Amino acid sequence: MENTIFKDVHYLWWVPVAPAVGSLILGLFGRRLEYPTKDGKKPIWGNDPAKYNYDWHDPDAHGHGAHAGGHDSHDHGAHDDHGHGHGHDDDHGHGGHGLAPGQSASGITIVNLIACGTMLFAALVSTFAFWTLLHENGHGEGNVALRDYLFDWIVAGRAKIELAFLADRLSIVMMLIVTWIGFLIHVYSTAYMGHDPSHWRFFSHLNFFCFAMLLLVMGDNLLLLFVGWEGVGLASYLLIGFWFKDVNNAKAAIKAFVVNRVGDFFFVIGMMLIFWYVGRQTGVWTLNVYELSKHAQVLTDIPLAFGATVATIATLCLFMGATGKSAQIPLYVWLPDAMAGPTPVSALIHAATMVTSGIYMIARMNVFYAYAPTTLTIIGIVATATAFMSATIAITQNDIKKVLAYSTVSQLGFMFMGLAAGAFWVAIFHVMTHAFFKACLFLGSGSVIHACGGEQDMRKMGGLKAYMPITAGTFMVSWIAIAGVFPFSGFFSKDEILHQLHGASFFGLGHVLPLPHLGSALWVIASVSAMMTAFYMTRQVYMTFFGTNRSSESVRAHLHESPAAMTIPLVVLAFLAAIGGAFGFILNEHWNWLEHWLAPVLPGTEMLLEYAKSLGHEPHSAYGASGWATLGTLAYAALSVVLAVISISFGAWIYSKHTDVAEKAAEKLPGVHKFLFNKWYVDELYNATVVRAVSLLSEGFAWFDRTVVDGLVNFCGWLLQALKSLAGAFDRGAVDQLGVGGTAWTVDRFGGLARFFQTGKIQTYLVLTFLGLVTLLVALQGGFQALFK
C-alpha cells in the first residue's frame, strides 16, 4: 500500500451522487408524480393518501385477498401498507386497475425510470472506473488507485480531512457489487412494489440505501466511511419499518436501529483511538486510511489496558462495530427481524449492502488487524460460534424468509472466519459469491410470496416448481451454490475459507491463553455448519418447490410465474451464482484472478504469514510448482463437496418421502427442537437481561427524576413562593403602611395643623398677629419669667 500511485479523476463522485439525486427527486416530488393534481390545485383524494384507510383491491378480480392474519414474521411484500393483497391482471402483470385511488400508472413509470436509471448510471460509471483500473494496473503487482478530490472537508489545527472518493482494487469490487446487484433489485422492485400506495417513498429510500453504501465503500478516510456507515443504518430503519402502520414492523425497525447504535458507539471509540495515538506518535493527524496504514505499527508499542496494546483495543472496538452492521454475536439479533421490510429490502440488506459493510471495513483496515493477532483470534471464535448457532436455528424455521435470514447470519460468520484466518481476500470473495446467490434466493422467495398471495409459511406451499418454473430453477441454482457443490460459486469461496481456517496460525489471546490448535477446532465446527447449511437449504427447496401443493384452493387457483421484471433479475443472478467462482478459481494459482487482484491492497495477509514464520509456524502452500492445487488441497475440496452432497442427499431423502422422520425426531427430542425453534432463547435472554436491566435503570432514573429532581424543583418553587409571600408582607407592612402610608399620614397631620392657621380669613390673621405681638412684648418685658417664679 505504501507504493500506491493515486491518479486524479473527476467522475467518481457521480457514483454515489446519482442514487442520492434519485432519492432526493423522489422524496420531494415522487408523491406528486404518482398522484397527479386536479385543476392545478390539490390531489383529488386529499393531501395525504396514506391517511386514508381505503381498500382498493378486489380479491375476486385479482385472485388474492388480504392475508393480514399471518404469523408474526408475515411479510407484506405483496401487500400495500394496509395489509391488502397485491393486485394482478389476468396476464400476471400490473395493470392500472390495481392502482390506489388517484394513483397514476404513468407516474409510477416515471418513478421507476428515475430510481432504476440513477442506479444504472452509477453502475456504468463504476464499470468504467473498473476498466480504467484494469488498464492502469495491468498484470503487475503495483497498485494504481483512482481518487476524486472534491474539497477540504474539516481543517482543525494540524488535522485535515478531505472529502474525496477512492476507487482502488478493493473498493471497486464493492462498487460493482453494490451498483449492479442494487440495479437488479431495483428492477425487480418495480414489479414487486408496483401497486404499493407509497411506491415513490419505497424507491426514494432504496436509492438512499445504495447512496449510503457507496459512500461507505468509496470514502478514502474513516470519517467518510463512518458517514456511510450511519447512512445505511438510517436507510435500514426506514425500509425495515416501511409498513410502519403494523406495530411489529415499527418495532423491528427500532430494534435494528438501536442495536446498531450500540456497535457504532464502539466503532467511534476505535476510530478515535487510531486517530489520536497515530497523530500523537507521528504528528500525522488524519483519518485517511492509506496514510494511517503507513503508521499502524506505532500502535503496537503503546500499552493501553490490561496489558493490551492500542492496536488490539482499537481493532476490537472496530470489530464490535462490525458485529452490529454484519450481524455477529452478540449484536446479530436485529437481522432476522429485518424481514419485516419488503422482500427487495431483505435482498438488498443481505446481499449487496449493510451486512457486508463490517467485512469490508476490516478488510480495508487489514494492516491494523495484522498487528493485532489477538483480535483475529477473537473474531475467529465469534464468527464460528455465530455460523454454527445460526445454522442450527435455520433448520427448524418454517418462514421462507426467516430461513434465509439465519442463513445470512451464518454465511457472514464464514466471511469473518476468512478475515480471522488472515485471508482477507477470501472474505471479499465470499462477499461476492454470497451477493449473487443470496440476492437470488431472497428475490426468489419474494416471487414465491408474490404468487402465494403473501403467504410465507413453507408448510403451506409445496409443488411450486410446476407453477413457477423460472423461479424454481433459479432458486435451485442458488441452493446448489450456497450448499457448496462444485463447480458453483459457493463451493470456491466457502471451501477456501475452510481451507484457510484449518491452516491458519492463531496466536491465542497473547501470552495469557495460547491456542495452538484453535484453527483445527474451528474448522471442525465450521464444516458442521456448512453441512447444516446444505441440509436446511435442501429442506427449504423441497418444502417449497417439490411434493404436493399444500396451498389453499383459492391460492392454488391463482398460482403463477412472476412477471418478467422479477424473473429476469433472477435469471441474471442465478447465472452469476453458477459461474461466479471463476473470479477466484482456487484450484489453479494462476487462474485465481481475485486473489492476485486484491493482494496489493491487502498486505496484512503477507504480514501475518511473516509473523507466523518468525514464531516457527511455516505456512502450508496450497499449490505445487505447476501452479495447480496440491493433493492435500484437492482432498480438502473433495471432502467439502462430499459433506455437502451427503447433507443434500439426507435432506432430500427426508423431505421428499420421509417427512415423518423429521416429525418423529422432533417428537423424540422435544426439548432440543423447541430450543432451536425458539432461536436458543436469545431474544428472551436479552429481554431478561439487557432489556430488563435497561428498563430497571430507566425506572430508577424515572424515580430519581420524580423524587429528587422534581422534589428539588418543587422545593425551589415552594421556597420562592415563601420568599415571595415574605416580600409581599414586607411590601404591604413596611413599605406600603410605614413608608408610603406613614409619610402620607404625617403630611396629612401637619397639613391639618397648618389648615388651623391658614383659614383664609383676614380677621383671624389679625387676631393671631395681635396675640403674637402681645406675647412678644410680654416676653421682652420679662413677663414670662415673672410667671415662673
Side-chain angles (χ1 to χ4, degrees):
M1 293 179 71
E2 294 184 0
N3 299 321
T4 301
I5 300 172
F6 294 99
K7 180 180 179 181
D8 292 328
V9 296
H10 302 289
Y11 59 81
L12 289 180
W13 64 279
W14 276 111
V15 178
V17 167
V21 170
S23 176
L24 185 64
I25 292 174
L26 297 181
L28 293 175
F29 309 109
R31 184 162 66 90
R32 181 70 67 179
L33 288 171
E34 288 194 11
Y35 295 89
T37 59
K38 181 180 180 180
D39 300 329
K41 297 179 181 178
K42 63 179 182 179
I44 56 176
W45 55 90
N47 289 326
D48 188 358
K51 293 180 179 178
Y52 290 81
N53 191 22
Y54 45 74
D55 183 353
W56 45 276
H57 289 285
D58 180 359
D60 295 330
H62 305 278
H64 296 284
H67 293 269
H71 40 82
D72 292 340
S73 61
H74 191 74
D75 177 27
H76 299 271
H79 294 232
D80 67 14
D81 59 353
H82 304 290
H84 303 295
H86 223 351
H88 307 272
D89 58 22
D90 293 335
D91 295 324
H92 314 309
H94 292 270
H97 62 274
L99 302 176
Q103 195 173 25
S104 165
S106 59
I108 289 177
T109 301
I110 294 173
V111 169
N112 290 340
L113 289 174
I114 293 172
C116 296
T118 53
M119 280 307 303
L120 178 59
F121 180 77
L124 292 174
V125 176
S126 297
T127 305
F128 177 76
F130 172 65
W131 284 113
T132 303
L133 279 177
L134 278 178
H135 173 74
E136 293 292 337
N137 284 285
H139 298 286
E141 294 299 324
N143 181 29
V144 177
L146 307 180
R147 190 170 185 268
D148 192 348
Y149 165 80
L150 299 182
F151 52 83
D152 290 342
W153 185 14
I154 299 174
V155 179
R158 288 179 293 171
K160 184 174 75 169
I161 300 174
E162 300 173 336
L163 185 63
F165 296 111
L166 178 71
D168 65 357
R169 291 170 179 255
L170 175 59
S171 61
I172 196 66
V173 173
M174 296 299 297
M175 288 164 61
L176 292 172
I177 292 172
V178 173
T179 55
W180 280 112
I181 293 186
F183 169 68
L184 291 174
I185 293 173
H186 274 68
V187 172
Y188 177 97
S189 301
T190 60
Y192 193 85
M193 299 295 291
H195 293 137
D196 195 283
S198 297
H199 168 270
W200 58 274
R201 179 165 58 89
F202 174 82
F203 276 103
S204 176
H205 295 343
L206 209 63
N207 269 180
F208 177 75
F209 207 152
C210 293
F211 156 69
M213 189 64 189
L214 288 168
L215 270 188
L216 191 156
V217 301
M218 294 181 65
D220 83 330
N221 60 75
L222 282 177
L223 188 58
L224 189 54
L225 183 152
F226 184 69
V227 172
W229 188 275
E230 291 299 290
V232 294
L234 172 60
S236 67
Y237 169 78
L238 295 172
L239 286 167
I240 293 170
F242 179 75
W243 288 305
F244 54 85
K245 292 185 179 181
D246 186 330
V247 68
N248 291 326
N249 296 346
K251 286 181 177 179
I254 294 171
K255 183 177 182 179
F257 191 80
V258 171
V259 170
N260 274 278
R261 297 293 73 71
V262 176
D264 296 349
F265 171 76
F266 287 97
F267 185 98
V268 172
I269 293 176
M271 180 170 60
M272 290 297 100
L273 283 174
I274 292 173
F275 172 76
W276 173 254
Y277 281 100
V278 169
R280 195 174 70 169
Q281 294 295 116
T282 66
V284 178
W285 297 92
T286 183
L287 284 172
N288 181 281
V289 176
Y290 273 80
E291 288 297 320
L292 288 174
S293 297
K294 294 177 183 178
H295 307 286
Q297 190 173 5
V298 302
L299 302 183
T300 63
D301 302 323
I302 309 171
L304 190 61
F306 307 107
T309 64
V310 173
T312 299
I313 300 298
T315 51
L316 273 175
C317 287
L318 293 179
F319 172 60
M320 279 299 296
T323 62
K325 282 290 183 291
S326 297
Q328 297 295 286
I329 294 173
L331 301 180
Y332 76 93
V333 292
W334 68 271
L335 189 57
D337 290 352
M339 299 303 97
T343 300
V345 174
S346 303
L348 194 61
I349 290 177
H350 288 248
T353 61
M354 193 154 177
V355 296
T356 62
S357 57
I359 291 92
Y360 169 79
M361 181 271 294
I362 292 179
R364 173 58 74 193
M365 303 292 288
N366 67 94
V367 174
F368 290 88
Y369 282 88
Y371 286 119
T374 298
T375 301
L376 293 179
T377 299
I378 295 173
I379 292 175
I381 295 171
V382 171
T384 308
T386 302
F388 178 81
M389 184 178 73
S390 302
T392 61
I393 296 173
I395 288 175
T396 60
Q397 299 303 302
N398 295 313
D399 184 313
I400 189 172
K401 286 178 64 179
K402 278 291 181 70
V403 174
L404 297 177
Y406 281 103
S407 169
T408 297
V409 177
S410 185
Q411 294 302 306
L412 290 169
F414 278 92
M415 297 173 202
F416 277 103
M417 290 178 211
L419 296 173
F424 300 100
W425 80 270
V426 181
I428 298 300
F429 185 25
H430 201 54
V431 166
M432 176 193 295
T433 59
H434 180 265
F436 299 153
F437 58 69
K438 187 51 65 70
C440 186
L441 288 170
F442 263 110
L443 296 184
S445 70
S447 181
V448 169
I449 295 168
H450 177 270
C452 294
E455 183 58 66
Q456 290 183 221
D457 192 335
M458 296 185 299
R459 293 169 297 184
K460 300 179 181 179
M461 298 177 184
L464 295 182
K465 182 167 64 74
Y467 301 93
M468 311 175 67
I470 298 177
T471 298
T474 55
F475 199 97
M476 286 188 281
V477 168
S478 297
W479 156 48
I480 298 298
I482 193 175
V485 176
F486 180 85
F488 292 81
S489 62
F491 158 77
F492 292 94
S493 55
K494 183 209 67 175
D495 178 70
E496 185 64 9
I497 287 173
L498 292 175
H499 190 194
Q500 294 286 345
L501 189 66
H502 189 268
S505 298
F506 286 101
F507 306 105
L509 305 181
H511 299 291
V512 179
L513 183 64
L515 299 169
H517 304 293
L518 179 62
S520 298
L522 296 182
W523 174 80
V524 172
I525 300 172
S527 297
V528 173
S529 302
M531 291 183 68
M532 286 191 287
T533 299
F535 177 81
Y536 66 68
M537 289 304 302
T538 303
R539 171 180 178 267
Q540 183 181 48
V541 167
Y542 272 83
M543 289 182 69
T544 304
F545 296 104
F546 291 93
T548 305
N549 186 265
R550 299 176 295 277
S551 305
S552 64
E553 292 185 6
S554 59
V555 171
R556 192 181 304 120
H558 295 88
L559 287 174
H560 59 279
E561 184 59 88
S562 297
M566 294 169 66
T567 55
I568 291 176
L570 289 176
V571 172
V572 174
L573 290 168
F575 174 74
L576 292 173
I579 61 97
F583 291 106
F585 190 79
I586 60 175
L587 302 182
N588 186 291
E589 184 179 14
H590 305 296
W591 295 352
N592 194 339
W593 177 82
L594 190 62
E595 181 180 9
H596 293 298
W597 173 256
L598 293 176
V601 293
L602 300 176
T605 300
E606 287 299 322
M607 294 168 61
L608 285 168
L609 291 175
E610 291 298 324
Y611 180 62
K613 286 181 181 179
S614 69
L615 297 179
H617 299 275
E618 284 294 329
H620 171 71
S621 176
Y623 303 102
S626 64
W628 284 96
T630 63
L631 290 177
T633 302
L634 292 175
Y636 273 110
L639 178 61
S640 178
V641 174
V642 168
L643 294 178
V645 171
I646 290 174
S647 297
I648 292 173
S649 301
F650 183 57
W653 179 77
I654 290 178
Y655 291 99
S656 59
K657 297 180 181 179
H658 302 86
T659 54
D660 58 314
V661 174
E663 295 172 358
K664 290 177 180 178
E667 292 174 359
K668 290 182 178 180
L669 300 171
V672 174
H673 181 269
K674 186 176 181 181
F675 179 73
L676 298 180
F677 183 76
N678 287 286
K679 301 161 286 188
W680 289 44
Y681 293 100
V682 173
D683 285 325
E684 288 78 5
L685 179 62
Y686 267 92
N687 289 332
T689 55
V690 178
V691 176
R692 181 58 179 160
V694 172
S695 297
L696 290 174
L697 188 63
S698 300
E699 291 171 3
F701 279 126
W703 175 88
F704 182 83
D705 180 65
R706 290 191 304 268
T707 307
V708 179
V709 178
D710 288 353
L712 286 173
V713 172
N714 293 335
F715 172 75
C716 291
W718 175 85
L719 183 61
L720 290 174
Q721 185 71 26
L723 290 175
K724 186 198 77 169
S725 300
L726 183 61
F730 179 80
D731 181 67
R732 291 189 301 271
V735 178
D736 289 351
Q737 294 183 9
L738 294 179
V740 179
T743 301
W745 181 85
T746 302
V747 171
D748 181 63
R749 292 298 180 270
F750 278 103
L753 182 61
R755 284 195 301 274
F756 176 78
F757 296 102
Q758 299 293 330
T759 62
K761 296 180 180 179
I762 261 188
Q763 296 89 332
T764 302
Y765 296 155
L766 289 174
V767 171
L768 292 175
T769 301
F770 174 76
L771 292 175
L773 288 173
V774 170
T775 302
L776 179 61
L777 288 174
V778 171
L780 292 174
Q781 294 300 320
F784 287 105
Q785 293 180 357
L787 290 175
F788 292 102
K789 287 183 177 179

